[in-house]
Amino acid sequence: MSSSTTASRSLSRAGRRARGRSRGRSGSLPRHRGLIVGFLTLPIILYAVFVLSPYVQAIYISLTDWTGFARRLNFVGFENYTRVAHDDLFWTGLKHNLVMLAVLPVLTIGLGLFFASMLNIDRAGRGVRGSSAYKIVYFFPQVLPVAVIGVLWQFVYTPRSGLLNGLLGTHHAWLGSPDTALAAVLAVGVWSSVGFYVVLFSAAMGAIPQEIYEAVALDGAGRWRTFFQVTLPLLRDTVRVGLIYVSIGALDGFAIVQLMTVGPGGPDNATEVVGLTLYRRAFADGQFGYACAMGVVMLFMTLTLAVILQSRRREVGR
Amino acid sequence: MKRTVRRSGIHIPLLAWATVVGLPLLWMALSAFKNDKEIIDDPFSLPSQLHWDNFGRAWSQASIGRYTMNTVIVVCGALVLTMTLGAMAAYILGRFEFRGRKIVYYGFAASMTFPIFLALVPLFLVASNLHLVGTLYGLILIYAAYALPFTIFFLTPFFADLPHEYAEAARIDGAGEIGIFVRIMVPLARPGLVSVAIFNFLGLWNQYLLPIVLMPDEKQFVLSQGLAALAVNQGYQSDWSALFAGLTIAVVPVLAVYIFSHRTIQAGLTAGGLR
């Protein structure tokens, strides 16, 4: 659900790869010491103060009872972590994050693959007619501000005058009833990110050599067999990258829930996510130490997930 | 014959998804020109007449104008700062060999895997200790700090791959190191700088999490915060048309940037997607 970070991660990957290729630099210490120090100092300070130090401090603060405003703070060990384990709201939020983790990758990656193969199915050297226009339209939600997406969809789901009920001829309060609220939020997540994967997978499909398809076509393979036995295996790495992005996004979900749902997180905590619980504990309840403990738990979950998805690939790759 | 029919059948699901994507946005833009009665009673009709006054009301009464100005100031400031510092750091990391280079490089890289909301609480404390909470320049610094890792990551290999001959020739001619950077390296790296700047613009314009923590005062709200607040307020006042106008105002800049640079954006993703 996080929109711009996904794109930036993807770009940075290109950066990392290109970096491995580059050899031979033009200068070295001590001849350029002044330049090196001069050019690096400001970026490093800015980054260390505002990015790195908060992450490090979070671990320390999570071991204290700090309210954030009082001067005093006491070291309380792992007490906050014990409290997290007994916090019902945390577990409710985590459950919903896990539902997102189960649903979002399947729908987003699945639809992304489906539309990408549709666009690239004409193997006569080019895509389906108008494929670049489709890609432009599909990708558009990816560049929308998340606030616009959230507020707009809130109105799409409005009971009386909303777009969805108008189309269906119903008057259902999609975000107002606990049965449909989470699904309604998930649908927005899928809506906003499918286009990104269509573009990503289209690019990967475009790079598959034409001869492979010609050979399979001679063997008389149908469209489905071609997709599952040729296209998908060749796209495995790109799909895995996509899975990592979607999964990390599924463990967040803060912005869209906060913008769209009643409460937010409601009704009846039906759309609560961990990010929202953390935000509320910190900035509404003034429990900074406790909120940090929650953040550290989520950090380890995210890292664990990333490691699992990475290592799975290594096993398969061998 | 059969082949033609099957081919046009492909367009059915493709058009269906295009509709799913486009319809809410079209509905938003049309609603921005209606009055409230039309929005509530005929959600699907075309506007009976174009109510341009909705935009005026959103811009001035609902403060969208002020939020837009705040956003423009913060995004432009952060963009200049990020691109300057990012290009400097990437130039050094890409072209000079020195002890600790890898540590600096991967130090910048590390934070890209952490979700931002984990850093929120301590970041708020850091900002408040430095008296940066609720100030536009504080948000500029922090936006820039969070955009730096990606900027450096993308630009470092870009600088590393630039040809060495020009710089060497300039050095022999007696040019200073800063002159070489500004007059030779930056122009050579322009394509990379432009793509990164586009991505940073979209990312910063759309930022929501950082401002809601760091900008508690309504006067300093950025556009995305302002829209969220407006959605709540207009809900009470039932001024839906102004809200839709506000949403439309917020979309126009990103739409413009996207339409003009979709090739660059897709090329950037492609470079990342292919392994």
Side-chain angles (χ1 to χ4, degrees):
Chain A
M1 283 190 191
S2 61
S3 49
S4 58
T5 50
T6 331
S8 55
R9 282 205 190 95
S10 178
L11 274 179
S12 72
R13 186 171 295 278
R16 243 171 300 165
R17 263 196 332 281
R19 148 128 241 86
R21 284 200 302 271
S22 66
R23 292 282 180 274
R25 291 176 180 79
S26 63
S28 61
L29 276 180
R31 209 175 65 163
H32 295 104
R33 173 173 286 158
L35 180 76
I36 291 169
V37 174
F39 268 29
L40 283 181
T41 305
L42 267 179
I44 289 178
I45 289 178
L46 195 67
Y47 177 73
V49 170
F50 292 114
V51 184
L52 229 40
S53 92
Y55 285 112
V56 178
Q57 285 183 54
I59 295 172
Y60 172 69
I61 297 172
S62 76
L63 301 171
T64 71
D65 63 354
W66 205 9
T67 58
F69 300 103
R71 283 246 156 261
R72 276 199 13 222
L73 96 179
N74 302 305
F75 190 79
V76 295
F78 286 93
E79 198 182 280
N80 286 326
Y81 291 90
T82 323
R83 270 184 65 201
V84 172
H86 293 98
D87 188 333
D88 285 345
L89 198 59
F90 172 80
W91 288 106
T92 308
L94 187 61
K95 196 180 85 191
H96 296 143
N97 278 124
L98 292 177
V99 170
M100 290 176 174
L101 190 61
V103 175
L104 279 179
V106 175
L107 285 180
T108 315
I109 305 281
L111 284 170
L113 279 170
F114 176 72
F115 291 124
S117 57
M118 286 270 154
L119 289 173
N120 296 279
I121 209 123
D122 182 357
R123 303 303 307 180
R126 67 207 140 82
V128 158
R129 209 143 52 95
S131 73
S132 62
Y134 282 121
K135 278 188 263 180
I136 292 174
V137 174
Y138 288 5
F139 194 79
F140 187 45
Q142 186 70 33
V143 301
L144 287 184
V146 67
V148 170
I149 293 176
V151 174
L152 172 61
W153 276 87
Q154 202 190 342
F155 287 96
V156 171
Y157 287 133
T158 298
R160 225 187 109 209
S161 50
L163 181 65
L164 185 61
N165 281 319
L167 287 175
L168 299 175
T170 52
H171 292 281
H172 186 71
W174 298 95
L175 290 167
S177 97
D179 298 333
T180 51
L182 189 62
V185 171
L186 281 167
V188 177
V190 174
W191 178 82
S192 63
S193 50
V194 164
F196 175 86
Y197 296 98
V198 173
V199 172
L200 195 67
F201 295 147
S202 289
M205 285 176 190
I208 297 173
Q210 191 65 47
E211 297 79 48
I212 297 182
Y213 284 101
E214 282 161 10
V216 196
L218 281 178
D219 284 352
R223 186 180 292 171
W224 283 101
R225 245 187 77 197
T226 310
F227 177 77
F228 281 107
Q229 293 186 352
V230 179
T231 312
L232 197 55
L234 286 170
L235 245 60
R236 197 181 53 208
D237 277 345
T238 313
V239 170
R240 188 187 48 80
V241 171
L243 277 176
I244 293 179
Y245 299 158
V246 184
S247 307
I248 290 176
L251 286 180
D252 185 344
F254 169 84
I256 206 89
V257 167
Q258 209 244 12
L259 284 157
M260 274 174 60
T261 63
V262 287
D268 268 351
N269 298 333
T271 54
E272 185 75 26
V273 287
V274 175
L276 193 62
T277 318
L278 183 156
Y279 177 80
R280 196 178 285 141
R281 290 281 183 263
F283 297 103
D285 307 343
Q287 302 177 7
F288 279 37
Y290 183 52
C292 279
M294 220 173 263
V296 173
V297 172
M298 286 310 279
L299 173 65
F300 279 106
M301 286 191 173
T302 310
L303 290 179
T304 310
L305 191 72
V307 168
I308 290 173
L309 288 170
Q310 291 277 3
S311 64
R312 167 84 30 99
R313 164 242 192 166
R314 214 164 290 134
E315 283 162 26
V316 176
R318 262 175 206 160
Chain B
M1 180 64 202
K2 195 184 165 209
R3 190 172 159 76
T4 332
V5 172
R6 273 183 61 178
R7 274 208 184 166
S8 53
I10 286 174
H11 286 278
I12 294 169
L14 289 173
L15 281 172
W17 187 255
T19 311
V20 169
V21 168
L23 200 61
L25 297 165
L26 191 66
W27 182 65
M28 172 186 83
L30 284 179
S31 300
F33 289 101
K34 294 176 169 182
N35 63 29
D36 287 321
K37 193 175 173 314
E38 287 176 304
I39 288 176
I40 306 242
D41 294 341
D42 312 296
F44 293 103
S45 64
L46 291 172
S48 58
Q49 57 179 78
L50 296 181
H51 290 273
W52 286 100
D53 56 297
N54 296 336
F55 289 89
R57 231 168 38 255
W59 186 262
S60 49
Q61 279 175 37
S63 307
I64 290 293
R66 190 171 65 216
Y67 303 149
T68 305
M69 287 322 291
N70 287 342
T71 310
V72 167
I73 293 168
V74 173
V75 169
C76 289
L79 208 52
V80 170
L81 193 59
T82 304
M83 294 312 294
T84 309
L85 295 182
M88 281 161 55
Y91 173 63
I92 298 295
L93 292 170
R95 298 191 79 86
F96 294 88
E97 198 64 67
F98 61 95
R99 220 153 41 117
R101 187 177 61 86
K102 279 216 160 78
I103 296 174
V104 174
Y105 187 72
Y106 288 110
F108 276 113
S111 70
M112 296 186 60
T113 51
F114 303 159
I116 285 192
F117 74 95
L118 306 182
L120 279 188
V121 174
L123 176 65
F124 174 78
L125 297 172
V126 170
S128 108
N129 285 335
L130 297 170
H131 304 288
L132 295 175
V133 172
T135 65
L136 292 179
Y137 57 86
L139 201 58
I140 290 176
L141 286 176
I142 290 167
Y143 271 13
Y146 279 84
L148 261 185
F150 157 67
T151 308
I152 291 174
F153 237 59
F154 188 85
L155 287 179
T156 298
F158 214 92
F159 276 113
D161 290 346
L162 292 179
H164 288 252
E165 293 77 20
Y166 299 103
E168 283 309 323
R171 241 172 229 131
I172 290 163
D173 286 351
E177 287 299 328
I178 294 176
I180 291 174
F181 172 69
V182 174
R183 292 215 210 98
I184 298 173
M185 288 304 166
V186 168
L188 282 176
R190 234 190 73 155
L193 291 168
V194 169
S195 344
V196 177
I198 291 169
F199 269 93
N200 278 334
F201 171 82
L202 292 172
L204 296 174
W205 186 270
N206 299 347
Q207 183 56 252
Y208 177 71
L209 196 51
L210 290 175
I212 64 165
V213 170
L214 297 167
M215 293 303 199
D217 181 5
E218 206 223 322
K219 281 204 170 49
Q220 272 86 38
F221 272 6
V222 298
L223 200 46
S224 47
Q225 278 177 293
L227 285 174
L230 189 63
V232 175
N233 290 338
Q234 301 312 97
Y236 293 127
Q237 295 167 17
S238 305
D239 190 357
W240 310 111
S241 47
L243 178 66
F244 280 107
L247 288 172
T248 308
I249 292 172
V251 167
V252 169
V254 283
L255 181 65
V257 168
Y258 175 59
I259 298 289
F260 282 118
S261 57
H262 66 91
R263 264 176 243 282
T264 314
I265 291 172
Q266 290 192 0
L269 290 181
T270 310
L274 302 173
R275 298 176 53 89

